[in-house]
């Protein structure tokens, strides 16, 4: 089973998150994902200021792992550049598949609590869902050069 302390952190994020909600406005980007295996649904909305993610909110429903992962990711993501977000996505993917040691992905913060999920392959998709949404969001957000 997941470590108790981590489990607590996961439940807290899933139950109550400062980042739950939706952003509004013409420059807000949204992405929608769902995980048919578990029934999880997530909507991310985010606003960039140039290269920096200024604000991000998530909404949706599903298991504690999917919701906690979205909450933790949203907390981590604010203030990060596109490049830093891409790095966080690949670090998390590697961590959740057990490909890199925890010491190599300390920048993931609270998200490290989800490391134990790698022992439950069925739940990896739940943990990755928010990252899929972020990745989708980044691919539709074109930096200034396209403007
Ligand atoms: Zn799930």
């Amino acid at each position: 089973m997941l470590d108790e302390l981590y489990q607590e952190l996961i439940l807290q994020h899933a139950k109550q998150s400062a980042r739950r909600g939706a952003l509004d406005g013409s420059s807000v980007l949204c992405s929608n994902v769902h995980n048919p295996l578990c029934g999880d649904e997530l909507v991310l909305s985010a606003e960039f200021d140039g290269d920096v993610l200024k604000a991000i909110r998530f909404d949706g429903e599903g298991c504690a792992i999917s919701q906690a992962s979205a909450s933790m990711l949203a907390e981590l993501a604010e203030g990060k550049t596109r490049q830093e977000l891409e790095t966080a996505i690949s670090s998390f993917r590697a961590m959740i598949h057990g490909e890199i040691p925890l010491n190599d992905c300390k920048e993931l913060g609270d998200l490290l609590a989800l490391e134990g999920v790698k022992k439950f392959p069925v739940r990896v998709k739940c943990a990755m869902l928010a990252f899929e949404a972020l990745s989708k969001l980044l691919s539709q957000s074109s930096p200034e050069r396209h403007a």
Side-chain angles (χ1 to χ4, degrees), residues 35 37-41 61-67 122-123 125-127 129:
N35 172 14
L37 295 175
C38 179
D40 308 316
E41 285 180 26
E61 51 190 48
C63 68
I65 296 198
S66 67
Q67 304 301 303
V122 185
R123 312 310 299 280
K125 176 94 176 157
C126 303
L129 197 62

